[in-house]
Amino acid sequence: MEQEELTEWIDQYGESVLTYILLMVRDYQQAEDLTQETFIKAYKHQHQFEQKSSVKTWLFTIAHNVTKDYFRKKHPLQHFFGLTMEEKDYKPMPEQIAAMNFQTEQLYRTIQQLKPTYRHVIILRKLKEFSTAETALILNWSESKVKMTLKRALAELKNDLIKGGFTSEIFR
């Protein structure tokens, strides 16, 4: 891989990978470190990229695995019991707070409270707009599992939002 190609990948996908990881770890500095680790792994293992998917899908697969490894190493028991990614309350940066209206912020906070599998599938399918097939590749799931998990995740998200005071009008 040429240095120019890596630079192109970082320019094209770096911010998107960073925001994905940030949604998972809720710590900007840690998200930056994990994003850097993602691109380092992509560089070191570029020979394993078989072009069966897009570069973006491949990079998000690496980012997903890097993030999973981070939580597995940081909190092995929490990871085992499915309690990962609950330890830190994400504090958006000031410019992000200014850009978010109340409903968007509430939606974001509610997504953060979902169990990790639901959060992953909502972020990838609805926020990052990956296809079902791409999401299945990234998460190493079947497409049917992606579809079923997304359906359940969206139902739980809707219920949580209604409990939090959202009106049912926003779901039409």
Side-chain angles (χ1 to χ4, degrees):
M1 172 188 292
E2 298 289 326
Q3 181 68 29
E4 297 85 36
E5 189 174 16
L6 178 63
T7 302
E8 183 180 314
W9 286 1
I10 292 170
D11 290 345
Q12 196 167 6
Y13 305 113
E15 188 172 327
S16 188
V17 169
L18 174 66
T19 57
Y20 169 68
I21 294 173
L22 183 58
L23 287 167
M24 294 295 112
V25 300
R26 293 174 273 183
D27 177 330
Y28 192 81
Q29 290 302 114
Q30 189 61 51
E32 283 184 326
D33 292 347
L34 294 173
T35 300
Q36 183 177 12
E37 185 176 339
T38 297
F39 284 99
I40 290 170
K41 284 190 180 213
Y43 180 75
K44 287 181 178 177
H45 300 285
Q46 57 86 24
H47 62 279
Q48 294 175 342
F49 178 53
E50 300 172 355
Q51 299 184 353
K52 291 180 181 177
S53 65
S54 68
V55 171
K56 183 178 180 183
T57 302
W58 183 63
L59 289 171
F60 270 77
T61 301
I62 295 169
H64 174 74
N65 290 331
V66 164
T67 304
K68 270 180 38 179
D69 289 346
Y70 163 74
F71 281 109
R72 195 175 296 130
K73 290 173 188 170
K74 186 174 180 187
H75 299 291
L77 285 178
Q78 285 183 340
H79 179 77
F80 179 77
F81 290 111
L83 303 172
T84 59
M85 302 181 220
E86 300 295 335
E87 77 281 348
K88 201 170 214 174
D89 184 25
Y90 171 67
K91 305 276 190 272
M93 295 181 298
E95 60 270 14
Q96 289 174 317
I97 293 170
M100 287 195 275
N101 65 30
F102 175 74
Q103 286 187 337
T104 304
E105 186 176 347
Q106 187 62 36
L107 173 64
Y108 177 81
R109 290 182 191 279
T110 305
I111 289 171
Q112 295 302 315
Q113 299 304 312
L114 295 173
K115 70 181 189 176
T117 55
Y118 286 3
R119 188 168 47 241
H120 284 290
V121 77
I122 287 174
I123 290 168
L124 290 171
R125 287 284 291 122
K126 297 301 180 183
L127 299 179
K128 293 298 179 183
E129 299 178 345
F130 280 100
S131 70
T132 302
E134 290 170 326
T135 302
L137 278 171
I138 291 168
L139 297 175
N140 196 24
W141 293 354
S142 67
E143 288 186 38
S144 60
K145 180 176 180 178
V146 170
K147 290 175 186 175
M148 184 55 69
T149 304
L150 180 62
K151 181 178 177 180
R152 291 176 180 161
L154 291 174
E156 184 171 318
L157 177 61
K158 180 180 177 180
N159 288 336
D160 289 352
L161 287 169
I162 290 170
K163 286 180 196 172
F166 272 72
T167 64
S168 57
E169 292 173 6
I170 67 168
F171 301 109
R172 292 181 191 174

